[in-house]
Amino acid sequence: MLNGPASAGKTTTLMAEYSSRLGEAVLRSRTRAAERTARIEGEIANKVKSEFISNMSHELRTPLNTVIGFSKLLAEHEKRNLKQQDVAEYARLIQDAAGHLLSLINDILDISKLQSGRYYIDEQDVELEDILETCIKMHSKAATSAGITMTAKLADGLPVMRGDPSKLLQAISNFLSNAVKFTRDGGGIALEARPRDMDGTDILIRDTGVGMEEEELKIAMTPFGQVDGGRSRWREGAGLGLPIAKALIGLHGGSVDITSAKGIGTEVRIFLPSKRHVSRMQQRRDLSLPQS
Ligand SMILES: Nc1ncnc2c1ncn2[C@@H]1O[C@H](COP(=O)(O)OP(=O)(O)OP(=O)(O)O)[C@@H](O)[C@H]1O
Ligand SMILES: [Mg+2]
């Protein structure tokens, strides 16, 4: 047992030594943990980057190959003795592929303009009912051929709002196209719209599709972010539809809330105010590209 001032001094020295060793050990362990976190983050970033590159090159190459392949066949139509209906079919395939490429390029330009805050909307009086009806018409054929039931309930007297009809159509159509794309055969999609007093309109798009976990939903909202669906139909697209749609609704002073449950479905709640409040800065903060 240690007693007296001499032993008290020794105890203090020992304690100082222990605490310094403990401090060093904690520091070493923290450095190791930080190194491990950085390594894992680096691996994830590389995976995201290579998935992004492979997905984008697939998205660009597929339609380009269609254009090159079928235009070559058309150029050789005499030598190949093509029938008139084949010529028309090949021309239609080229037109579809070129249209797909154009919309991909437009989406990339849109996201870049939205991120830099240089996106302007052409404001006028908008009848949301017309836009919603057009949207339903645009997607009901794809829903029916995928074996999905689509129902729509549009309340009477939806307030007229100020906004850009083509941008509102683009935004709502992006949500609806996802509902169709990520719902299995036999599933359902319900679209509802009702006025919220005279403040604006609530639009709900519910699907009984594959759904997403909370973390997956965060990825989905990021530009170029896609959740691995494991099926080729679900891998189509560039991962720009959701962030563009959310930003466009935001530019109209509206809001988007999405809840989703894996294997159960997804619900998108959109609010569009009758009077528009532009908040471009908010959009800029919301849109962050994946780190390279
Ligand atoms: N309704 C939904 N149900 C399940 N998953 C969804 C739904 N909507 C979006 N997702 C997931 O979020 C991802 C991102 O959606 P987003 O619309 O941004 O891109 P995309 O549909 O893959 O491509 P595109 O650029 O053609 O829209 C999708 O790839 C999908 O994994
Ligand atoms: Mg989409």
Side-chain angles (χ1 to χ4, degrees):
M1 201 169 155
L2 298 164
N3 276 320
S7 62
K10 217 170 177 180
T11 310
T12 315
T13 319
L14 270 174
M15 278 175 67
E17 198 178 320
Y18 284 148
S19 72
S20 131
R21 284 195 191 165
L22 196 68
E24 281 168 17
V26 168
L27 214 67
R28 269 201 306 277
S29 133
R30 278 197 193 146
T31 313
R32 271 200 302 273
E35 280 169 2
R36 209 177 58 229
T37 311
R39 201 187 63 240
I40 294 170
E41 277 176 359
E43 282 167 10
I44 293 173
N46 275 342
K47 190 167 173 278
V48 168
K49 204 164 127 189
S50 55
E51 269 180 17
F52 164 71
I53 292 169
S54 98
N55 184 40
M56 281 311 284
S57 51
H58 169 82
E59 283 299 305
L60 292 166
R61 275 213 186 100
T62 312
L64 263 178
N65 282 337
T66 305
V67 172
I68 293 167
F70 285 102
S71 55
K72 187 167 181 276
L73 288 181
L74 286 183
E76 295 167 358
H77 72 101
E78 275 183 2
K79 189 173 87 189
R80 292 178 176 270
N81 206 11
L82 289 183
K83 287 189 215 124
Q84 196 58 40
Q85 70 193 60
D86 291 334
V87 170
E89 170 69 2
Y90 297 169
R92 197 186 52 79
L93 288 171
I94 293 171
Q95 201 180 3
D96 285 354
H100 182 81
L101 262 181
L102 181 65
S103 77
L104 177 64
I105 291 164
N106 282 340
D107 276 357
I108 294 171
L109 292 176
D110 276 357
I111 203 83
S112 120
K113 278 192 244 162
L114 284 160
Q115 281 181 318
S116 64
R118 280 182 289 106
Y119 195 97
Y120 302 102
I121 58 174
D122 201 1
E123 199 177 290
Q124 53 182 271
D125 281 347
V126 176
E127 295 276 359
L128 268 178
E129 202 178 321
D130 295 347
I131 290 178
L132 291 167
E133 274 168 4
T134 311
C135 251
I136 294 161
K137 269 192 210 131
M138 275 166 66
H139 296 282
S140 59
K141 206 171 146 209
T144 311
S145 52
I148 301 163
T149 315
M150 194 148 107
T151 56
K153 213 160 86 186
L154 309 184
D156 290 334
L158 294 181
V160 173
M161 67 169 287
R162 295 288 295 169
D164 186 325
S166 68
K167 303 303 168 202
L168 288 167
L169 183 77
Q170 181 183 356
I172 298 164
S173 174
N174 284 1
F175 291 121
L176 214 49
S177 89
N178 282 347
V180 175
K181 190 155 76 163
F182 300 105
T183 300
R184 289 193 176 91
D185 186 356
I189 298 172
L191 185 146
E192 262 180 60
R194 48 178 179 252
R196 190 192 286 184
D197 304 323
M198 277 322 282
D199 292 346
T201 305
D202 283 306
I203 302 167
L204 269 101
I205 300 171
R206 279 194 214 99
D207 68 59
T208 60
V210 291
M212 288 170 275
E213 311 262 7
E214 216 177 305
E215 279 304 306
E216 293 176 332
L217 184 54
K218 278 189 203 146
I219 296 173
M221 294 312 296
T222 319
F224 302 105
Q226 289 181 304
V227 181
D228 189 3
R231 287 195 188 187
S232 59
R233 180 165 74 101
W234 295 344
R235 296 292 293 168
E236 278 169 21
L240 289 173
L242 275 186
I244 288 178
K246 189 171 186 229
L248 289 177
I249 299 288
L251 276 183
H252 286 81
S255 62
V256 176
D257 291 295
I258 303 181
T259 41
S260 191
K262 194 87 174 168
I264 294 176
T266 303
E267 181 174 294
V268 180
R269 290 177 306 280
I270 305 160
F271 174 70
L272 281 167
S274 311
K275 287 197 187 100
R276 197 165 71 80
H277 314 277
V278 180
S279 65
R280 201 161 283 131
M281 291 309 291
Q282 184 62 37
Q283 293 317 311
R284 246 188 279 185
R285 268 207 304 279
D286 282 355
L287 292 165
S288 54
L289 278 168
Q291 301 295 306
S292 58

